[in-house]
Amino acid sequence: MTIPEIKVKISDIEYNTQSIAELLYPDFSEKNNTLPFKERVFRAFPQLAAAIKLGMTKEDIYDVVKKMMCSEYEKNNKEMKEREKEIFYKLSVFQSAIIPKMLDLFEVEWPKEHPEITCYLGLYAVFPRNVLTKEYWIHYKTAEEVIMRASVHEINHFILFEKWKAMHGYTLLEQPSYPDVLWFLEEMAVDPTLNIKEMQEVAPYPQKAYEVFYSNTINDNPIEEYIIKLFKERENMADFLNKAYLFIEDNHKDIITKCG
């Protein structure tokens, strides 16, 4: 069995800037309401809450964020490098225990063309990922337990994507993103696949999908409960993923309307 090596690196400032700035662009919150993105940014970076004004262009917002990023990276460089070493040590358990168990659960082989999974440490209010390149980004000051939980969450997405690709193929150059059906499946599958006994034994970090999937209903039942039920009743992982995808596809417009 191929097991990817876990790498921890300091994030690129340019990527970090773009990731934060786009959450503050007016049209972003209009398109995606699954999380309170702007509120999270302002809570994480109060200096941006004071600097970002109504009527600013995307270019103005980007410039404000870039200035803050350059200042914070320079000021916290030593601490970030120390954190890089600490998190690398903590994530070593993924190669020995967590990833092998998750691959068994999803009944899939890890792709040999991706020998590494990379965790980038930077200044993030939400945690971006890329299931194509097997990379994810996190705030360097995040508590260790939260980093472990978030890492399990993101690697779950990577492995689910590889299972889906093995089942159906995937030729697009961009990863599934909101509001793609496959994006919703990735996010909703976190709860049932990671909270089972087998996974909690090696990764004891209880997981939840987005709160909007529990608080909104279809036919008076929480949306997430449909996904959990399909997982419990699965014949195998492919059966679960196919049926969950079909459920989301059949209710796609309703889910977007209710969940953002």
Side-chain angles (χ1 to χ4, degrees):
M1 178 186 291
T2 300
I3 304 298
E5 187 177 355
I6 304 295
K7 299 288 188 180
V8 180
K9 300 178 182 179
I10 303 300
S11 174
D12 175 71
I13 294 178
E14 184 65 33
Y15 181 87
N16 203 160
T17 299
Q18 185 60 47
S19 296
I20 293 296
E22 70 179 9
L23 299 178
L24 300 175
Y25 294 158
D27 58 344
F28 182 87
S29 57
E30 293 173 3
K31 293 184 292 185
N32 188 345
N33 294 308
T34 54
L35 285 175
F37 293 103
K38 185 177 292 186
E39 289 82 353
R40 285 196 175 191
V41 171
F42 288 159
R43 186 164 61 247
F45 309 110
Q47 62 269 53
L48 289 181
I52 302 297
K53 308 296 183 183
L54 286 175
M56 275 187 167
T57 65
K58 289 183 178 181
E59 290 76 16
D60 291 336
I61 292 172
Y62 179 89
D63 289 343
V64 170
V65 175
K66 182 65 175 290
K67 183 178 179 180
M68 182 207 76
M69 286 292 169
C70 291
S71 173
E72 291 295 316
Y73 268 78
E74 182 178 2
K75 183 170 60 177
N76 298 298
N77 181 262
K78 182 180 179 181
E79 184 181 353
M80 292 174 78
K81 288 189 176 300
E82 290 173 353
R83 193 72 169 141
E84 181 183 12
K85 296 176 183 177
E86 294 171 2
I87 298 306
F88 175 74
Y89 173 76
K90 291 292 182 180
L91 294 183
S92 61
V93 68
F94 278 84
Q95 290 168 244
S96 61
I98 297 175
I99 291 176
K101 184 70 73 173
M102 208 180 297
L103 289 169
D104 286 344
L105 172 65
F106 277 89
E107 302 160 2
V108 69
E109 295 288 329
W110 183 262
K112 293 180 180 179
E113 63 269 25
H114 290 290
E116 298 176 357
I117 291 175
T118 306
C119 170
Y120 291 97
L121 302 180
L123 297 164
Y124 292 92
V126 297
F127 304 151
R129 68 169 178 272
N130 190 318
V131 299
L132 300 179
T133 61
K134 312 301 185 267
E135 299 170 301
Y136 63 103
W137 292 259
I138 199 165
H139 198 298
Y140 79 97
K141 286 188 175 181
T142 304
E144 286 181 3
E145 182 176 347
V146 178
I147 288 180
M148 295 299 287
R149 184 185 303 115
S151 296
V152 172
H153 178 117
E154 301 305 340
I155 293 173
N156 180 268
H157 289 319
F158 299 161
I159 293 177
L160 184 154
F161 177 77
E162 288 305 318
K163 178 63 175 180
W164 186 263
K165 190 167 68 171
M167 292 162 55
H168 300 287
Y170 192 87
T171 58
L172 300 179
L173 299 179
E174 295 185 357
Q175 67 172 336
S177 60
Y178 176 91
D180 294 347
V181 174
L182 188 52
W183 180 88
F184 277 109
L185 176 59
E186 289 178 359
E187 294 297 348
M188 291 181 184
V190 165
D191 182 323
T193 60
L194 292 178
N195 286 322
I196 58 173
K197 180 183 177 183
E198 299 94 307
M199 286 308 307
Q200 286 295 305
E201 285 174 347
V202 295
Y205 310 100
Q207 299 280 341
K208 285 196 70 175
Y210 287 3
E211 181 57 38
V212 289
F213 301 148
Y214 302 91
S215 58
N216 289 286
T217 64
I218 292 176
N219 296 327
D220 297 324
N221 293 313
I223 295 169
E224 185 68 23
E225 288 300 319
Y226 286 98
I227 306 301
I228 294 171
K229 185 174 184 290
L230 288 171
F231 181 78
K232 290 178 178 178
E233 296 175 349
R234 72 193 184 282
E235 295 179 8
N236 51 44
M237 185 57 72
D239 176 66
F240 161 65
L241 293 176
N242 280 331
K243 289 178 178 176
Y245 185 96
L246 182 60
F247 167 79
I248 297 168
E249 186 175 50
D250 287 345
N251 296 281
H252 196 212
K253 289 184 179 179
D254 204 13
I255 291 171
I256 293 173
T257 299
K258 292 179 176 180
C259 298

